Amino acid sequence: MSSRASVEYFIAERVSQIQIYTKHMKRDDLSAWAKKEYEEMIDKLHLEIEEYKTELKTKGMKDMSDDDETYRDDVGGFPESEYPEKDMERDSEDIVLVDEAIDPDTGEPMDIPEDDTPPIEEKIEPIIDDSVIGKLKASVDIPEEFKFADSMTFYTMLRNIFRNKYILVTGPSGCGKSSLGKILAEISGKPFHQFNFGDTMNPAAKLLGDTKYNKEDGTWFKASRFVSALQDNSGAFIMLDEVTRDRTGDLGNILMPVLDGQRYLALDESDDADIVRLDKNVFFFATANIGREYLGAAHDLDRAWKDRFTGGIYELDYLPQGKEQELLEVRVPHISENNARRITEFAKKIRDLYKAEELNVAVSTRMCLSVAELVVDGMTLLDALKHTVLPFYPITAGDDTDRVKVIQAIQSMGD
């Protein structure tokens, strides 16, 4: 073998070793110690290759890198060895570093201790959602005291408050509409003002105010709390509760210019009436009970009402059984998991009968909470259900059909 051929063979041999070591370094079960050993051997082989190439130049031989792509880019392009049978023989050998080494004194294998260096965790950059809802999700947690069947409902409500798009929530009584308003006001940091229109026959007095008289001052006009809330310069959160319970028709007429682009309240119907301008940050949250079981409530909302809440109308229903059970356990901390489950399963059974139109009234979440509180205070579950639920199913004109069905549902729960 010529001197040049010998040097070329030595280079090819080391390139082949590098390729084999590189292949073994990709094994998943390789320990950190073995990987380090491979790296050191590969570095050593690289140095030897450079020394052989320098030797070629020193002896006046043609540098192999002048003609072809040789030892470059992970030595993948180096030409085939002149001794392929040697390469095959080398490849067939199990040149693998395992978790053992040879004791230099005895020549016996010795165990290498397991590498307890913790793996380097790959840092995953978070995906940033720069939208309004994305920022709200990143900064506000869903409150534990209120459960949502869909979390997006909560975050779109916050978005509406941020954009000053008024909210109207419809749903059965006791499903949490009013509680939700208070929670949203607290989260948004707005002063909360609640006005219930199910308890008045004179919505005009509640919204505008009323005339007063005494001997000292005579007659004067006393503005309502509603007027003060509209002028609150910190941006009030005004809840208009049970807007469908108004039987006079006055409520809608008074509130339409308040809720639309005009944003003012006229204190009377004269041409030169005094008007109250709304603070720019005032926000309205309205609730409505819609359905056959609500005395004095409309079966649907007037289209003009809905137009004032475009984009902010939410139809809430009772929570799924599992979510409602979680709510009971949060709101009534000492209720057992078993009793919370039984109460909500009973409620679901009655609601299913209501949806099938076999009952005229459903069991509300508010009723479930009352039952749970009575149980915690020492009443048996069946007695608490009878005490809380049966008054909503009276005997009417001798017809006790609904009441009997509810009693049967309670008794079917056992002790």
Side-chain angles (χ1 to χ4, degrees), residues 318 324 347-355 362-365:
Y318 296 118
E324 192 169 42
K348 182 181 184 303
K349 182 185 295 185
I350 298 300
R351 290 166 191 165
D352 288 343
L353 291 172
Y354 169 77
K355 290 177 182 177
V363 170
S364 69
T365 300

Side-chain angles (χ1 to χ4, degrees), residues 43 50 54 93 101 120 144 153 161 164 178 183 185 193 197 248 250-251 258 260 282 289 349 353 361 369 393 406:
D43 289 342
E50 292 300 323
T54 301
E93 296 175 2
I120 299 174
E144 276 297 314
T153 300
I161 297 174
N164 213 38
S178 300
I183 290 170
H193 301 268
F197 297 99
T248 66
D250 292 342
L251 182 63
V258 175
D260 64 17
V282 68
N289 296 328
K349 182 185 295 185
L353 291 172
V361 178
L369 290 166
Y393 301 90
V406 173

Side-chain angles (χ1 to χ4, degrees), residues 84-93:
E85 69 281 357
K86 290 286 187 181
D87 292 338
M88 291 177 63
E89 180 182 330
R90 225 178 5 256
D91 287 342
S92 66
E93 296 175 2

Side-chain angles (χ1 to χ4, degrees), residues 235-271:
F237 186 106
I238 298 177
M239 183 159 72
L240 308 172
D241 214 1
E242 300 188 31
V243 294
T244 46
R245 296 291 297 278
D246 170 42
R247 306 175 196 179
T248 66
D250 292 342
L251 182 63
N253 294 332
I254 295 171
L255 286 180
M256 288 306 164
V258 175
L259 297 172
D260 64 17
Q262 300 176 74
R263 293 178 62 80
Y264 74 84
L265 175 69
L267 296 181
D268 61 54
E269 295 183 350
S270 64
D271 292 337

